[in-house]
């Protein structure tokens, strides 16, 4: 089934999960779309079955906390950042709830974590103003970049390049094989002193980059030329919350939640808003992602996850 304006308008909440006692800070779909995993400020990791629509398992990271959870390519393993004690990244086997490896190095909180779509490489960005490149097979950092400010970073869908957003005003593109030579492209944006960048994502076709902010707008830019294609606004974010914005898997639509619990959807080509979905969230929607394989998406506010499906599927 193809996503269209009308199809997006007909999504409805199918299930509400209340597994958490504190804010859900991140979730991630498995590459096959069969499960979604969430991390929360209550130190829990909850694994959900997307097809059965129910929680499968809950694990805890009470000592170190858990944030920015990401699936790796191996079945049943994740990496995540810590939000207590230290700033080490941890590689966890969900199968037996054991740590496979630790990745120490950052000296302040990790605010960006992106797994390569093709291999065991991942990148992390931290408030210590560095981006580090890692390989799951080694605890040692494979590459280090010093920046002038808080970074956001992400791999492109082919895993050949990564983008770093620096100081909320510049996007730098690096070739993974020669990133120590510096960026091969730099796009300077108009600086907006009212907000800072909180996220950066490539579309699945690799042609677009979506920049999220903690203000009342997000930007869509051309991944090759750096030109701003659209600036999307008209949603509520008066408290400077970090709201996750996402592409649909076909790269055609852009979605973001708002502090009043509604989800706003735009057509990436025309720039027109095509839907405002009300999931009756009680607070800001901080996490929002579309399933990579199935016609569902998930949204989370405070301590509740909502699973959305097409109303005709119920």
């Amino acid at each position: 089934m193809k996503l269209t304006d009308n199809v997006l308008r007909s999504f409805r909440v199918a299930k509400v999960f209340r597994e958490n006692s504190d804010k859900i800070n991140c979730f991630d779909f498995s590459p096959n779309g069969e499960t979604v995993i969430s991390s929360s400020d209550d130190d829990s990791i909850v694994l959900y079955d997307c097809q059965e629509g129910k929680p499968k398992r809950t694990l805890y990271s009470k000592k170190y906390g858990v944030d920015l959870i990401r699936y790796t390519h191996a079945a049943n393993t994740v990496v995540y950042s810590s939000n207590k004690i230290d700033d080490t990244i941890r590689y966890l086997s969900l199968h037996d709830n054991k740590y496979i490896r630790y990745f120490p190095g950052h000296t302040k909180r990790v605010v960006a974590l992106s797994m390569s779509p093709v291999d065991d490489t991942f990148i992390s960005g931290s408030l210590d103003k560095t981006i580090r490149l890692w390989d799951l097979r080694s605890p040692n950092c494979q590459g280090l970049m010093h920046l002038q400010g808080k970074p956001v970073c992400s791999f492109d869908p082919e895993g050949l390049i990564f983008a770093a957003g620096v100081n909320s005003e510049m996007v730098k593109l690096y070739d993974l094989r020669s990133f120590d030579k510096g960026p091969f492209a730099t796009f300077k944006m108009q600086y907006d002193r009212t907000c800072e960048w909180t996220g950066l994502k490539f579309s699945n076709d690799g042609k677009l980059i979506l920049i999220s902010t903690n203000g009342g707008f997000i930007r869509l830019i051309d991944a090759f030329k750096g030109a701003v294609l659209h600036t999307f606004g008209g949603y509520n974010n008066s408290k400077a919350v970090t709201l996750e914005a996402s592409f649909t898997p076909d790269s055609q639509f852009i979605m973001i939640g708002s502090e009043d619990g509604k989800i706003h959807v735009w057509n990436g080509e025309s720039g027109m808003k095509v839907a405002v979905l009300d999931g009756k969230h009680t607070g800001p929607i901080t996490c929002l992602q579309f399933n990579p394989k199935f016609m569902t998406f998930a949204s989370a506010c405070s301590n509740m996850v909502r699973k959305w499906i097409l109303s005709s599927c119920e």
Side-chain angles (χ1 to χ4, degrees), residues 72-92:
T72 70
H73 300 289
N76 273 328
T77 60
V78 291
V79 289
Y80 64 82
S81 64
S82 316
N83 51 19
K84 290 181 183 178
I85 295 188
D86 63 16
D87 303 288
T88 298
I89 296 164
R90 291 177 164 77
Y91 178 23
L92 176 71

Side-chain angles (χ1 to χ4, degrees), residues 95-169:
H95 169 65
D96 49 11
N97 196 19
K98 286 199 168 72
Y99 291 118
I100 301 168
R101 198 158 284 117
Y102 302 99
F103 303 96
H106 283 301
T107 55
K108 286 188 178 170
R109 183 163 178 162
V110 174
V111 291
L113 195 59
S114 177
M115 192 76 216
S116 163
V118 295
D119 60 23
D120 285 338
T121 312
F122 69 96
I123 49 175
S124 58
S126 160
L127 294 178
D128 63 14
K129 300 181 183 175
T130 64
I131 287 177
R132 288 175 181 261
L133 185 66
W134 310 87
D135 187 302
L136 284 174
R137 295 162 294 190
S138 163
N140 303 317
C141 168
Q142 307 292 300
L144 174 63
M145 288 162 43
H146 291 276
L147 307 168
Q148 297 301 307
K150 175 186 170 181
V152 288
C153 53
S154 183
F155 277 100
D156 83 316
E158 291 175 341
L160 298 173
I161 66 170
F162 66 88
V166 189
N167 282 356
S168 299
E169 62 177 346

Side-chain angles (χ1 to χ4, degrees), residues 9-10 24 60 66 79 97 103 124 129 167-168 172 209-211 225 246 269 287 305:
R9 280 193 282 267
S10 27
I24 293 152
Y60 290 94
V66 54
V79 289
N97 196 19
F103 303 96
S124 58
K129 300 181 183 175
N167 282 356
S168 299
K172 296 174 182 257
I209 294 173
L210 181 60
I211 298 168
K225 301 179 185 150
S246 290
E269 195 172 357
C287 304
V305 176

